[in-house]
Coordinates of all heavy atoms in Angstrom, one line a residue:
M1 N 11.0 40.9 -62.7 CA 10.7 41.3 -61.4 C 11.9 41.7 -60.6 O 11.9 42.6 -59.8 CB 10.0 40.1 -60.7 CG 9.4 40.5 -59.4 SD 8.2 41.8 -59.6 CE 6.7 41.1 -58.8
A2 N 13.1 41.1 -61.0 CA 14.3 41.5 -60.3 C 14.7 43.0 -60.6 O 15.2 43.7 -59.8 CB 15.4 40.6 -60.8
W3 N 14.4 43.4 -61.8 CA 14.7 44.8 -62.2 C 13.9 45.8 -61.3 O 14.4 46.8 -61.0 CB 14.5 45.1 -63.7 CG 13.0 44.9 -64.1 CD1 12.4 43.8 -64.5 CD2 12.1 46.0 -64.1 NE1 11.1 44.1 -64.8 CE2 10.8 45.4 -64.6 CE3 12.1 47.3 -63.8 CZ2 9.7 46.1 -64.7 CZ3 10.9 48.0 -63.9 CH2 9.7 47.5 -64.4
L4 N 12.6 45.4 -61.0 CA 11.8 46.2 -60.2 C 12.4 46.4 -58.8 O 12.4 47.5 -58.2 CB 10.4 45.7 -60.1 CG 9.4 46.5 -59.3 CD1 9.2 47.9 -59.9 CD2 8.0 45.8 -59.2
Q5 N 12.9 45.3 -58.2 CA 13.5 45.3 -56.9 C 14.8 46.2 -56.9 O 15.0 47.0 -56.0 CB 13.9 43.9 -56.5 CG 12.7 43.0 -56.1 CD 13.1 41.6 -55.8 OE1 14.3 41.2 -56.0 NE2 12.2 40.9 -55.1
K6 N 15.6 46.1 -58.0 CA 16.7 47.0 -58.1 C 16.4 48.5 -58.2 O 17.0 49.3 -57.6 CB 17.6 46.6 -59.4 CG 18.3 45.3 -59.2 CD 19.0 44.9 -60.4 CE 19.7 43.5 -60.3 NZ 20.4 43.1 -61.5
V7 N 15.3 48.8 -59.0 CA 14.8 50.1 -59.1 C 14.4 50.7 -57.8 O 14.7 51.8 -57.3 CB 13.7 50.3 -60.2 CG1 13.1 51.6 -60.1 CG2 14.3 50.0 -61.6
I8 N 13.6 49.8 -57.0 CA 13.1 50.3 -55.7 C 14.2 50.5 -54.8 O 14.3 51.4 -54.0 CB 12.1 49.2 -55.2 CG1 10.8 49.3 -56.0 CG2 11.8 49.5 -53.7 CD1 9.8 48.2 -55.7
L9 N 15.2 49.6 -54.8 CA 16.4 49.7 -53.9 C 17.2 51.0 -54.2 O 17.6 51.7 -53.3 CB 17.3 48.5 -54.0 CG 18.6 48.5 -53.2 CD1 18.2 48.5 -51.7 CD2 19.4 47.3 -53.5
A10 N 17.3 51.2 -55.5 CA 18.0 52.5 -55.9 C 17.3 53.7 -55.5 O 17.9 54.7 -55.0 CB 18.2 52.5 -57.4
L11 N 16.0 53.7 -55.6 CA 15.2 54.8 -55.1 C 15.3 55.0 -53.6 O 15.3 56.2 -53.1 CB 13.7 54.7 -55.6 CG 13.4 54.8 -57.1 CD1 12.0 54.5 -57.4 CD2 13.8 56.2 -57.6
V12 N 15.3 53.9 -52.9 CA 15.4 54.0 -51.4 C 16.7 54.6 -51.0 O 16.8 55.4 -50.2 CB 15.1 52.6 -50.8 CG1 15.5 52.6 -49.3 CG2 13.7 52.2 -50.9
V13 N 17.8 54.1 -51.7 CA 19.1 54.6 -51.4 C 19.2 56.1 -51.7 O 19.8 56.9 -50.9 CB 20.2 53.8 -52.2 CG1 21.6 54.5 -52.1 CG2 20.3 52.4 -51.6
I14 N 18.7 56.5 -52.9 CA 18.7 57.9 -53.2 C 17.9 58.8 -52.2 O 18.4 59.8 -51.8 CB 18.2 58.1 -54.7 CG1 19.2 57.6 -55.7 CG2 17.9 59.6 -55.0 CD1 18.6 57.5 -57.1
F15 N 16.8 58.2 -51.8 CA 16.0 58.9 -50.8 C 16.7 59.1 -49.5 O 16.8 60.2 -48.9 CB 14.7 58.2 -50.6 CG 13.8 58.8 -49.5 CD1 13.1 59.9 -49.7 CD2 13.8 58.1 -48.2 CE1 12.4 60.5 -48.6 CE2 13.0 58.7 -47.2 CZ 12.3 59.8 -47.4
L16 N 17.4 58.0 -49.0 CA 18.2 58.1 -47.8 C 19.3 59.1 -47.9 O 19.6 59.8 -46.9 CB 18.7 56.7 -47.4 CG 17.6 55.7 -46.9 CD1 18.2 54.4 -46.7 CD2 16.9 56.3 -45.7
I17 N 20.0 59.1 -49.0 CA 21.1 60.1 -49.2 C 20.6 61.5 -49.2 O 21.2 62.4 -48.5 CB 21.8 59.8 -50.5 CG1 22.6 58.5 -50.4 CG2 22.8 60.9 -50.9 CD1 23.2 58.0 -51.7
L18 N 19.4 61.7 -49.8 CA 18.8 63.1 -49.8 C 18.4 63.5 -48.4 O 18.6 64.6 -47.9 CB 17.6 63.1 -50.7 CG 17.9 63.2 -52.2 CD1 16.7 63.1 -53.0 CD2 18.7 64.4 -52.6
V19 N 17.8 62.5 -47.6 CA 17.4 62.8 -46.2 C 18.7 63.2 -45.4 O 18.7 64.1 -44.6 CB 16.6 61.6 -45.6 CG1 16.5 61.8 -44.2 CG2 15.3 61.5 -46.3
A20 N 19.7 62.4 -45.6 CA 21.0 62.7 -44.8 C 21.6 64.0 -45.2 O 22.0 64.7 -44.3 CB 22.0 61.5 -45.1
L21 N 21.5 64.3 -46.5 CA 22.0 65.6 -46.9 C 21.2 66.8 -46.3 O 21.8 67.8 -45.8 CB 22.0 65.7 -48.4 CG 22.6 67.0 -49.1 CD1 24.0 67.1 -48.7 CD2 22.3 66.9 -50.6
I22 N 19.9 66.7 -46.4 CA 19.0 67.7 -45.9 C 19.2 67.8 -44.3 O 19.4 68.9 -43.8 CB 17.6 67.5 -46.2 CG1 17.4 67.6 -47.7 CG2 16.6 68.4 -45.4 CD1 16.0 67.1 -48.2
F23 N 19.3 66.7 -43.7 CA 19.6 66.7 -42.2 C 20.9 67.4 -41.9 O 20.9 68.2 -41.0 CB 19.6 65.2 -41.7 CG 19.8 65.1 -40.3 CD1 18.8 65.4 -39.3 CD2 21.1 64.7 -39.8 CE1 19.1 65.3 -38.0 CE2 21.3 64.6 -38.5 CZ 20.3 64.9 -37.6
S24 N 21.9 67.0 -42.6 CA 23.2 67.6 -42.3 C 23.3 69.1 -42.6 O 23.9 69.9 -41.9 CB 24.3 66.9 -43.1 OG 24.2 67.1 -44.5
L25 N 22.5 69.6 -43.6 CA 22.5 71.0 -43.9 C 21.7 71.8 -42.9 O 22.0 72.9 -42.6 CB 21.9 71.2 -45.3 CG 22.7 70.8 -46.5 CD1 22.0 71.0 -47.8 CD2 24.0 71.6 -46.5
N26 N 20.7 71.1 -42.2 CA 19.9 71.8 -41.2 C 20.5 71.7 -39.8 O 20.0 72.3 -38.9 CB 18.5 71.2 -41.2 CG 17.7 71.7 -42.4 OD1 17.9 72.7 -43.0 ND2 16.8 70.8 -42.9
N27 N 21.5 70.9 -39.6 CA 22.1 70.7 -38.3 C 23.6 70.9 -38.4 O 24.4 70.0 -38.2 CB 21.8 69.3 -37.8 CG 20.4 69.1 -37.5 OD1 19.9 69.7 -36.5 ND2 19.7 68.4 -38.4
Q28 N 24.1 72.1 -38.6 CA 25.5 72.4 -38.8 C 26.1 73.0 -37.5 O 27.3 73.4 -37.5 CB 25.7 73.3 -40.0 CG 25.4 72.7 -41.3 CD 25.7 73.5 -42.5 OE1 26.2 74.6 -42.3 NE2 25.5 73.0 -43.6
E29 N 25.4 73.1 -36.4 CA 26.0 73.6 -35.2 C 27.1 72.7 -34.8 O 26.9 71.4 -34.7 CB 24.9 73.7 -34.1 CG 25.4 74.3 -32.8 CD 24.3 74.4 -31.8 OE1 23.2 74.5 -32.1 OE2 24.7 74.4 -30.6
T30 N 28.2 73.2 -34.4 CA 29.4 72.3 -34.1 C 29.4 72.1 -32.6 O 29.1 72.9 -31.8 CB 30.7 73.0 -34.5 OG1 30.9 74.2 -33.8 CG2 30.8 73.2 -36.0
V31 N 29.7 70.8 -32.3 CA 29.8 70.4 -30.9 C 31.0 69.5 -30.8 O 31.5 68.9 -31.7 CB 28.6 69.6 -30.4 CG1 27.3 70.5 -30.4 CG2 28.3 68.4 -31.2
S32 N 31.6 69.4 -29.6 CA 32.6 68.4 -29.3 C 32.1 67.5 -28.2 O 31.4 67.9 -27.3 CB 33.9 69.1 -28.9 OG 33.7 69.8 -27.7
L33 N 32.5 66.2 -28.3 CA 32.0 65.3 -27.3 C 33.1 65.1 -26.3 O 34.2 65.0 -26.5 CB 31.8 63.9 -28.0 CG 30.7 63.9 -29.2 CD1 30.6 62.5 -29.8 CD2 29.4 64.4 -28.7
N34 N 32.6 65.0 -25.0 CA 33.5 64.9 -23.9 C 33.3 63.5 -23.3 O 32.2 63.1 -22.9 CB 33.2 65.9 -22.8 CG 33.5 67.3 -23.3 OD1 34.5 67.5 -23.9 ND2 32.6 68.2 -22.9
F35 N 34.4 62.7 -23.3 CA 34.4 61.4 -22.6 C 35.1 61.6 -21.3 O 35.5 62.8 -20.9 CB 35.1 60.4 -23.5 CG 34.3 60.1 -24.8 CD1 34.8 60.6 -26.0 CD2 33.1 59.5 -24.8 CE1 34.1 60.4 -27.1 CE2 32.4 59.2 -25.9 CZ 32.9 59.7 -27.1
L36 N 35.4 60.6 -20.6 CA 36.1 60.7 -19.3 C 37.3 61.6 -19.3 O 37.4 62.6 -18.6 CB 36.4 59.3 -18.7 CG 35.2 58.5 -18.3 CD1 35.7 57.1 -17.8 CD2 34.4 59.2 -17.2
F37 N 38.3 61.2 -20.1 CA 39.5 61.9 -20.1 C 39.9 62.4 -21.5 O 41.0 62.6 -21.9 CB 40.7 61.1 -19.6 CG 40.5 60.7 -18.1 CD1 40.2 59.3 -17.8 CD2 40.5 61.6 -17.1 CE1 39.9 58.9 -16.5 CE2 40.3 61.2 -15.8 CZ 40.0 59.9 -15.5
F38 N 38.9 62.5 -22.4 CA 39.1 62.7 -23.8 C 38.0 63.6 -24.3 O 36.9 63.5 -24.0 CB 39.1 61.4 -24.5 CG 39.3 61.5 -26.0 CD1 40.5 61.8 -26.6 CD2 38.2 61.3 -26.9 CE1 40.7 61.9 -27.9 CE2 38.4 61.4 -28.2 CZ 39.6 61.7 -28.8
Q39 N 38.5 64.6 -25.1 CA 37.5 65.5 -25.8 C 37.8 65.5 -27.3 O 38.9 65.6 -27.7 CB 37.7 66.9 -25.3 CG 36.6 67.9 -25.9 CD 36.7 69.2 -25.2 OE1 37.4 69.4 -24.2 NE2 36.0 70.2 -25.8
T40 N 36.7 65.3 -28.1 CA 36.9 65.2 -29.5 C 37.0 66.6 -30.1 O 36.7 67.6 -29.5 CB 35.7 64.5 -30.2 OG1 34.5 65.2 -30.0 CG2 35.5 63.1 -29.6
A41 N 37.3 66.6 -31.4 CA 37.3 67.9 -32.1 C 35.9 68.3 -32.4 O 35.0 67.5 -32.3 CB 38.1 67.7 -33.4
S42 N 35.7 69.6 -32.7 CA 34.3 70.1 -32.9 C 33.9 69.7 -34.3 O 34.6 70.1 -35.3 CB 34.2 71.6 -32.7 OG 34.5 71.9 -31.3
Y43 N 32.8 69.1 -34.4 CA 32.1 68.8 -35.7 C 30.7 69.1 -35.6 O 30.1 69.2 -34.5 CB 32.3 67.3 -36.1 CG 33.8 66.9 -36.4 CD1 34.5 66.2 -35.5 CD2 34.4 67.3 -37.6 CE1 35.9 65.9 -35.8 CE2 35.7 67.0 -37.9 CZ 36.4 66.3 -37.0 OH 37.7 65.9 -37.3
G44 N 30.0 69.1 -36.7 CA 28.6 69.3 -36.7 C 27.8 68.2 -36.1 O 28.2 67.1 -36.0
V45 N 26.6 68.6 -35.6 CA 25.7 67.6 -34.9 C 25.4 66.5 -35.9 O 25.4 65.3 -35.5 CB 24.4 68.3 -34.4 CG1 23.4 67.3 -33.9 CG2 24.7 69.3 -33.4
A46 N 25.1 66.8 -37.1 CA 24.8 65.8 -38.1 C 25.9 64.8 -38.3 O 25.6 63.6 -38.5 CB 24.4 66.5 -39.5
F47 N 27.1 65.3 -38.3 CA 28.3 64.4 -38.4 C 28.2 63.3 -37.3 O 28.4 62.2 -37.6 CB 29.6 65.2 -38.4 CG 30.8 64.3 -38.3 CD1 31.3 63.7 -39.4 CD2 31.4 64.1 -37.1 CE1 32.4 62.9 -39.3 CE2 32.5 63.3 -37.0 CZ 33.0 62.7 -38.1
W48 N 28.1 63.8 -36.1 CA 28.1 62.9 -34.9 C 26.9 61.9 -35.0 O 27.1 60.7 -34.7 CB 28.1 63.6 -33.6 CG 29.3 64.4 -33.3 CD1 29.4 65.7 -33.2 CD2 30.6 63.8 -33.2 NE1 30.8 66.0 -33.0 CE2 31.5 64.9 -33.0 CE3 31.2 62.5 -33.2 CZ2 32.9 64.7 -32.8 CZ3 32.5 62.4 -33.0 CH2 33.4 63.4 -32.8
L49 N 25.7 62.3 -35.4 CA 24.6 61.4 -35.5 C 24.8 60.4 -36.6 O 24.5 59.2 -36.5 CB 23.3 62.2 -35.7 CG 22.9 63.0 -34.4 CD1 21.7 63.9 -34.7 CD2 22.5 62.1 -33.3
I50 N 25.2 60.9 -37.8 CA 25.4 60.0 -38.9 C 26.6 59.0 -38.6 O 26.5 57.8 -38.9 CB 25.7 60.8 -40.2 CG1 24.5 61.5 -40.6 CG2 26.2 59.9 -41.3 CD1 24.7 62.5 -41.8
L51 N 27.6 59.5 -37.9 CA 28.7 58.6 -37.5 C 28.1 57.5 -36.5 O 28.5 56.3 -36.6 CB 29.8 59.4 -36.8 CG 31.0 58.6 -36.3 CD1 31.8 58.0 -37.5 CD2 31.9 59.4 -35.5
A52 N 27.3 57.9 -35.6 CA 26.7 57.0 -34.6 C 25.8 55.9 -35.4 O 25.9 54.7 -35.1 CB 25.9 57.7 -33.6
F53 N 25.1 56.4 -36.3 CA 24.2 55.5 -37.1 C 25.1 54.5 -37.9 O 24.8 53.3 -37.9 CB 23.4 56.3 -38.1 CG 22.5 55.5 -39.0 CD1 21.4 54.9 -38.5 CD2 22.9 55.3 -40.3 CE1 20.6 54.1 -39.3 CE2 22.1 54.5 -41.1 CZ 20.9 53.9 -40.6
V54 N 26.1 55.0 -38.6 CA 27.0 54.1 -39.3 C 27.7 53.1 -38.4 O 27.8 51.9 -38.7 CB 28.0 54.9 -40.2 CG1 29.1 54.0 -40.8 CG2 27.2 55.7 -41.3
A55 N 28.2 53.6 -37.3 CA 28.9 52.7 -36.3 C 27.9 51.6 -35.8 O 28.3 50.5 -35.7 CB 29.5 53.5 -35.2
G56 N 26.7 52.0 -35.5 CA 25.7 51.0 -35.1 C 25.4 50.0 -36.1 O 25.3 48.8 -35.8
A57 N 25.3 50.4 -37.4 CA 25.1 49.5 -38.5 C 26.3 48.5 -38.6 O 26.1 47.3 -38.8 CB 24.9 50.3 -39.8
V58 N 27.5 49.0 -38.6 CA 28.7 48.2 -38.7 C 28.7 47.2 -37.5 O 29.0 46.0 -37.8 CB 29.9 49.0 -38.8 CG1 31.2 48.2 -38.7 CG2 30.0 49.8 -40.1
I59 N 28.5 47.7 -36.3 CA 28.5 46.8 -35.2 C 27.4 45.7 -35.3 O 27.6 44.5 -35.0 CB 28.4 47.5 -33.9 CG1 29.7 48.4 -33.6 CG2 28.1 46.6 -32.7 CD1 29.6 49.4 -32.5
G60 N 26.3 46.1 -35.7 CA 25.2 45.2 -36.0 C 25.5 44.1 -37.0 O 25.2 42.9 -36.8
I61 N 26.1 44.5 -38.1 CA 26.5 43.6 -39.1 C 27.6 42.6 -38.6 O 27.5 41.4 -38.8 CB 27.1 44.3 -40.3 CG1 25.9 45.0 -41.1 CG2 27.8 43.4 -41.3 CD1 26.4 46.0 -42.1
L62 N 28.6 43.1 -37.8 CA 29.6 42.2 -37.2 C 29.0 41.2 -36.2 O 29.4 40.0 -36.3 CB 30.7 43.1 -36.5 CG 31.6 43.9 -37.4 CD1 32.5 44.8 -36.6 CD2 32.3 43.0 -38.4
V63 N 28.1 41.7 -35.4 CA 27.5 40.8 -34.4 C 26.6 39.7 -35.2 O 26.7 38.5 -34.8 CB 26.6 41.5 -33.4 CG1 25.7 40.6 -32.6 CG2 27.5 42.4 -32.5
T64 N 25.9 40.1 -36.2 CA 25.1 39.2 -36.9 C 26.0 38.2 -37.7 O 25.7 37.0 -37.7 CB 24.2 39.9 -38.0 OG1 23.4 40.8 -37.3 CG2 23.4 39.0 -38.8
T65 N 27.1 38.6 -38.2 CA 28.1 37.7 -38.9 C 28.6 36.7 -37.9 O 28.7 35.5 -38.3 CB 29.2 38.5 -39.5 OG1 28.6 39.5 -40.5 CG2 30.2 37.7 -40.3
V66 N 29.0 37.1 -36.7 CA 29.6 36.2 -35.7 C 28.5 35.2 -35.4 O 28.8 34.0 -35.3 CB 30.1 37.0 -34.5 CG1 30.4 36.0 -33.4 CG2 31.3 37.8 -34.8
A67 N 27.3 35.6 -35.2 CA 26.2 34.7 -34.8 C 25.9 33.7 -36.0 O 25.7 32.5 -35.7 CB 24.9 35.5 -34.5
T68 N 25.9 34.2 -37.2 CA 25.7 33.3 -38.3 C 26.8 32.3 -38.5 O 26.5 31.1 -38.8 CB 25.6 34.2 -39.6 OG1 24.5 35.1 -39.5 CG2 25.3 33.3 -40.8
L69 N 28.0 32.7 -38.3 CA 29.1 31.8 -38.4 C 29.0 30.7 -37.3 O 29.3 29.5 -37.5 CB 30.5 32.5 -38.3 CG 30.8 33.4 -39.5 CD1 32.1 34.2 -39.2 CD2 31.0 32.5 -40.7
K70 N 28.6 31.1 -36.1 CA 28.5 30.1 -35.0 C 27.4 29.1 -35.3 O 27.6 27.9 -35.1 CB 28.1 30.9 -33.7 CG 28.0 30.0 -32.5 CD 27.7 30.8 -31.3 CE 27.5 29.9 -30.1 NZ 27.1 30.6 -28.9
V71 N 26.3 29.6 -35.8 CA 25.2 28.7 -36.2 C 25.6 27.8 -37.3 O 25.2 26.6 -37.3 CB 23.9 29.5 -36.6 CG1 22.8 28.6 -37.2 CG2 23.3 30.2 -35.3
S72 N 26.3 28.3 -38.3 CA 26.8 27.5 -39.4 C 27.7 26.4 -38.9 O 27.6 25.2 -39.4 CB 27.5 28.3 -40.4 OG 26.6 29.2 -41.1
A73 N 28.6 26.7 -38.0 CA 29.5 25.7 -37.4 C 28.7 24.6 -36.7 O 29.0 23.4 -36.8 CB 30.5 26.3 -36.5
E74 N 27.7 25.0 -35.9 CA 26.9 24.1 -35.2 C 26.1 23.2 -36.1 O 26.0 22.0 -35.9 CB 25.9 24.8 -34.2 CG 26.6 25.4 -33.1 CD 25.7 26.3 -32.2 OE1 24.5 26.5 -32.6 OE2 26.1 26.8 -31.2
R75 N 25.6 23.8 -37.2 CA 24.9 23.0 -38.2 C 25.8 22.0 -38.9 O 25.3 20.8 -39.1 CB 24.3 23.9 -39.2 CG 23.3 23.2 -40.2 CD 22.7 24.2 -41.1 NE 23.7 24.9 -41.9 CZ 23.5 26.0 -42.5 NH1 22.4 26.7 -42.3 NH2 24.4 26.6 -43.2
R76 N 27.0 22.3 -39.2 CA 27.9 21.4 -39.8 C 28.2 20.2 -38.9 O 28.3 19.1 -39.3 CB 29.2 22.1 -40.2 CG 29.2 22.8 -41.5 CD 30.6 23.2 -42.0 NE 31.3 24.0 -41.0 CZ 31.2 25.3 -41.0 NH1 30.5 26.0 -41.8 NH2 31.9 26.0 -40.1
Q77 N 28.4 20.6 -37.6 CA 28.7 19.5 -36.6 C 27.5 18.6 -36.4 O 27.6 17.4 -36.4 CB 29.0 20.2 -35.2 CG 29.3 19.2 -34.1 CD 29.6 19.9 -32.8 OE1 29.3 21.0 -32.6 NE2 30.2 19.2 -31.9
L78 N 26.3 19.1 -36.4 CA 25.1 18.3 -36.4 C 24.9 17.4 -37.6 O 24.4 16.3 -37.5 CB 23.8 19.2 -36.1 CG 23.7 19.8 -34.7 CD1 22.6 20.8 -34.7 CD2 23.6 18.7 -33.7
R79 N 25.2 18.0 -38.8 CA 25.1 17.2 -40.0 C 26.1 16.0 -39.9 O 25.8 14.9 -40.4 CB 25.4 18.0 -41.2 CG 24.2 18.9 -41.6 CD 24.5 19.6 -42.9 NE 23.3 20.4 -43.2 CZ 23.2 21.2 -44.2 NH1 24.3 21.4 -45.0 NH2 22.1 21.9 -44.4
R80 N 27.3 16.2 -39.4 CA 28.3 15.1 -39.3 C 27.8 14.1 -38.3 O 27.9 12.9 -38.6 CB 29.6 15.7 -38.7 CG 30.6 16.1 -39.9 CD 32.0 16.4 -39.4 NE 32.1 17.9 -39.4 CZ 32.3 18.7 -38.3 NH1 32.5 18.1 -37.2 NH2 32.4 20.0 -38.5
K81 N 27.2 14.5 -37.2 CA 26.6 13.5 -36.2 C 25.5 12.8 -36.8 O 25.4 11.6 -36.6 CB 26.2 14.3 -35.0 CG 27.3 14.7 -34.1 CD 26.7 15.4 -32.8 CE 27.8 15.8 -31.9 NZ 27.3 16.4 -30.6
L82 N 24.6 13.5 -37.6 CA 23.5 12.8 -38.3 C 24.0 11.8 -39.3 O 23.5 10.6 -39.4 CB 22.6 13.8 -39.0 CG 21.5 13.2 -39.8 CD1 20.5 12.5 -38.9 CD2 20.8 14.3 -40.6
S83 N 25.1 12.1 -40.0 CA 25.6 11.2 -41.0 C 26.2 10.0 -40.3 O 26.0 8.8 -40.8 CB 26.7 11.9 -41.8 OG 27.3 11.0 -42.7
Q84 N 26.9 10.2 -39.2 CA 27.4 9.0 -38.5 C 26.3 8.2 -37.9 O 26.4 6.9 -38.0 CB 28.3 9.5 -37.3 CG 29.6 10.1 -37.8 CD 30.4 10.8 -36.6 OE1 29.9 10.9 -35.5 NE2 31.6 11.2 -36.9
A85 N 25.3 8.8 -37.4 CA 24.1 8.0 -36.9 C 23.4 7.2 -38.0 O 23.1 6.1 -37.8 CB 23.1 9.0 -36.2
E86 N 23.3 7.8 -39.2 CA 22.7 7.1 -40.3 C 23.5 6.0 -40.7 O 23.0 4.9 -41.1 CB 22.5 8.1 -41.5 CG 21.3 9.0 -41.2 CD 21.2 10.1 -42.4 OE1 22.1 10.3 -43.1 OE2 20.1 10.6 -42.5
K87 N 24.9 6.1 -40.7 CA 25.8 5.0 -41.1 C 25.6 3.9 -40.1 O 25.6 2.7 -40.5 CB 27.2 5.5 -41.2 CG 27.5 6.4 -42.4 CD 28.9 6.8 -42.4 CE 29.2 7.8 -43.6 NZ 30.6 8.3 -43.5
S88 N 25.6 4.2 -38.8 CA 25.4 3.2 -37.8 C 24.1 2.5 -37.9 O 24.0 1.3 -37.8 CB 25.5 3.8 -36.4 OG 26.8 4.4 -36.2
L89 N 23.1 3.2 -38.2 CA 21.7 2.6 -38.4 C 21.7 1.7 -39.6 O 21.2 0.6 -39.6 CB 20.7 3.7 -38.6 CG 19.2 3.2 -38.7 CD1 18.8 2.4 -37.5 CD2 18.3 4.4 -39.0
N90 N 22.3 2.2 -40.7 CA 22.4 1.3 -41.9 C 23.2 0.1 -41.7 O 22.8 -1.0 -42.1 CB 23.0 2.1 -43.1 CG 22.0 3.1 -43.6 OD1 20.8 3.0 -43.4 ND2 22.5 4.1 -44.3
K91 N 24.3 0.2 -40.9 CA 25.1 -1.0 -40.6 C 24.4 -1.9 -39.7 O 24.4 -3.1 -40.0 CB 26.4 -0.5 -39.9 CG 27.4 -1.6 -39.6 CD 28.6 -1.1 -38.9 CE 29.5 -2.2 -38.6 NZ 30.7 -1.8 -37.9
A92 N 23.7 -1.4 -38.7 CA 22.9 -2.3 -37.8 C 21.7 -2.9 -38.6 O 21.4 -4.1 -38.3 CB 22.4 -1.4 -36.7
S93 N 21.1 -2.3 -39.5 CA 20.0 -2.9 -40.2 C 20.4 -3.9 -41.2 O 19.7 -4.8 -41.6 CB 19.1 -1.8 -40.8 OG 19.8 -1.1 -41.8
S94 N 21.7 -3.7 -41.7 CA 22.1 -4.7 -42.7 C 22.6 -6.0 -42.1 O 22.7 -7.0 -42.8 CB 23.2 -4.1 -43.6 OG 24.4 -3.8 -42.8
E95 N 23.0 -6.0 -40.8 CA 23.4 -7.2 -40.1 C 22.2 -8.1 -39.9 O 21.1 -7.6 -39.7 CB 24.0 -6.8 -38.8 CG 25.4 -6.1 -38.9 CD 25.9 -5.7 -37.5 OE1 25.3 -6.0 -36.5 OE2 27.0 -5.2 -37.5
P96 N 22.5 -9.4 -40.0 CA 21.3 -10.3 -39.8 C 20.9 -10.2 -38.3 O 21.7 -10.0 -37.4 CB 21.9 -11.7 -40.0 CG 23.4 -11.5 -40.0 CD 23.7 -10.1 -40.3
A97 N 19.6 -10.4 -38.1 CA 19.0 -10.3 -36.8 C 19.6 -11.5 -35.9 O 19.7 -12.6 -36.3 CB 17.5 -10.4 -36.9
R98 N 19.9 -11.1 -34.7 CA 20.5 -12.1 -33.8 C 19.4 -12.6 -32.9 O 18.6 -11.8 -32.4 CB 21.6 -11.5 -32.9 CG 22.8 -11.0 -33.7 CD 23.8 -10.5 -32.7 NE 24.8 -9.8 -33.5 CZ 25.8 -9.1 -32.9 NH1 25.8 -9.0 -31.6 NH2 26.7 -8.4 -33.7
T99 N 19.3 -13.9 -32.7 CA 18.3 -14.5 -31.8 C 19.1 -15.2 -30.7 O 20.1 -15.8 -30.9 CB 17.4 -15.5 -32.5 OG1 18.2 -16.5 -33.1 CG2 16.6 -14.8 -33.6
H100 N 18.5 -15.1 -29.5 CA 19.2 -15.8 -28.4 C 18.8 -17.2 -28.3 O 17.8 -17.7 -28.4 CB 18.8 -15.0 -27.1 CG 19.3 -13.6 -27.0 ND1 20.5 -13.2 -27.7 CD2 18.9 -12.5 -26.4 CE1 20.7 -11.9 -27.5 NE2 19.7 -11.5 -26.6

């Protein structure tokens, strides 16, 4: 079953590469982007769109990684607190009951 997933993934990647290639061939008009005090060099429309897509993917991966690391750190801290609480509970339950 793992080989089927690899084949499907390879087909999807090949499909996406072909779509990007066809897109870039059909959108070769050059444009330059103007920011406040900066103007970029002229590149094709497809270049700018693919660049924006890749930049968005990279930013998304970075944000997800930061969030995952934060959750992992919180989980480790909670596990430590749980371990300490379990040790305290075991210590309290092993002590003989006190009566007044």
Side-chain angles (χ1 to χ4, degrees):
M1 193 57 124
W3 65 271
L4 181 61
Q5 290 176 344
K6 289 179 183 179
V7 169
I8 290 173
L9 180 63
L11 289 174
V12 168
V13 168
I14 291 170
F15 175 75
L16 290 175
I17 290 171
L18 287 174
V19 168
L21 181 65
I22 292 169
F23 178 78
S24 65
L25 290 174
N26 288 331
N27 292 288
Q28 292 187 0
E29 182 179 336
T30 59
V31 295
S32 63
L33 301 180
N34 295 318
F35 297 106
L36 291 175
F37 301 108
F38 178 72
Q39 183 173 353
T40 66
S42 294
Y43 292 105
V45 173
F47 171 79
W48 293 116
L49 289 175
I50 291 171
L51 182 67
F53 177 77
V54 170
V58 169
I59 291 170
I61 289 169
L62 291 174
V63 168
T64 302
T65 301
V66 168
T68 302
L69 291 173
K70 182 179 176 182
V71 167
S72 294
E74 290 174 354
R75 187 176 60 205
R76 279 193 303 273
Q77 183 181 14
L78 288 173
R79 282 187 180 173
R80 271 189 254 120
K81 286 182 178 181
L82 176 62
S83 177
Q84 290 173 353
E86 286 175 340
K87 286 178 185 177
S88 296
L89 180 63
N90 288 338
K91 183 179 177 183
S93 64
S94 65
E95 291 178 354
R98 298 180 192 174
T99 55
H100 295 332

